[in-house]
Amino acid sequence: MLFLLVSLAATAAQGGNSDPWLLVETKPHVLKVMQGDTPLEVFTKIAIGQHGAGVEKRRNDNKTPLGEYRIGWINENSKFHRFFGLTYPNPDIAKRGFIRGLIDEHLVRHILRAHLVEATPPQDTPLGGQIGIHGVGAGNREVHEMFDWTHGCVALTNEQIDQLTPWVRKGTLVVIR
């Protein structure tokens, strides 16, 4: 029953419309605003987690989680200039976390319910949380351009996050691969 709920939640999260969506390509360090299969805008020299990206994420591992998410909230007054919070952990991450013994069935159900009603899932879990797309804030732009420096987020310069803002709203699809 639990895995059926995971599959239903993942299917519901995918949707099927032609709204702009965000594609984060972690290897070339690029974020693209997409309309269907067409890039509308491309942001280069993005930064990701200090320890790269992966599907086996857990709290404090400094990895950017691969997968499909939605923008769950927007913080215009973030210390990172602007913060677009992701609906992480998603049902796939919850399923893997349950199988690996990182979270219990109660937490999996909580995450699934959040996704089914398009709410933000719990953010303080052994799988991590507070993952998003943000600017540098008052940080060093030179460091941003030379190193992956985040704790698992995707970072752009403050100017880039300002240019990205008109494309983003709560519910925008974000694919990180």
Side-chain angles (χ1 to χ4, degrees):
M1 178 66 174
L2 176 61
F3 297 112
L4 175 62
L5 286 174
V6 170
S7 296
L8 290 172
T11 301
Q14 289 173 357
N17 60 39
S18 62
D19 289 340
W21 59 282
L22 307 180
L23 173 60
V24 177
E25 296 181 307
T26 58
K27 297 263 190 232
H29 290 78
V30 172
L31 184 150
K32 297 177 182 178
V33 177
M34 304 292 292
Q35 181 85 50
D37 293 333
T38 305
L40 301 175
E41 193 158 358
V42 178
F43 300 95
T44 60
K45 295 185 180 178
I46 66 169
I48 60 172
Q50 295 171 23
H51 294 137
V55 294
E56 301 298 328
K57 173 154 180 58
R58 57 174 44 188
R59 183 182 5 217
N60 298 325
D61 68 2
N62 295 328
K63 286 184 185 174
T64 300
L66 301 175
E68 290 187 9
Y69 310 95
R70 297 277 177 179
I71 299 296
W73 73 96
I74 298 172
N75 180 355
E76 294 285 348
N77 299 309
S78 166
K79 69 179 182 177
F80 296 109
H81 186 63
R82 184 171 292 110
F83 187 93
F84 301 125
L86 300 182
T87 55
Y88 175 89
N90 67 16
D92 290 336
I93 300 291
K95 177 181 170 183
R96 282 196 296 275
F98 178 75
I99 291 169
R100 291 171 52 210
L102 297 174
I103 61 174
D104 62 20
E105 189 171 335
H106 174 74
L107 187 51
V108 172
R109 288 180 189 275
H110 193 174
I111 292 167
L112 293 176
R113 273 193 297 275
H115 282 275
L116 286 172
V117 299
E118 298 180 2
T120 300
Q123 294 297 292
D124 185 21
T125 77
L127 303 171
Q130 298 295 319
I131 301 295
I133 301 170
H134 60 72
V136 175
N140 186 327
R141 185 177 176 149
E142 289 180 20
V143 168
H144 170 80
E145 292 179 358
M146 293 172 35
F147 301 104
D148 285 327
W149 58 271
T150 77
H151 293 292
C153 293
V154 174
L156 290 79
T157 66
N158 295 338
E159 295 80 14
Q160 287 174 320
I161 204 80
D162 287 342
Q163 291 173 324
L164 178 63
T165 297
W167 298 105
V168 177
R169 62 174 176 73
K170 187 174 177 187
T172 298
L173 175 64
V174 179
V175 176
I176 303 175
R177 62 178 186 201

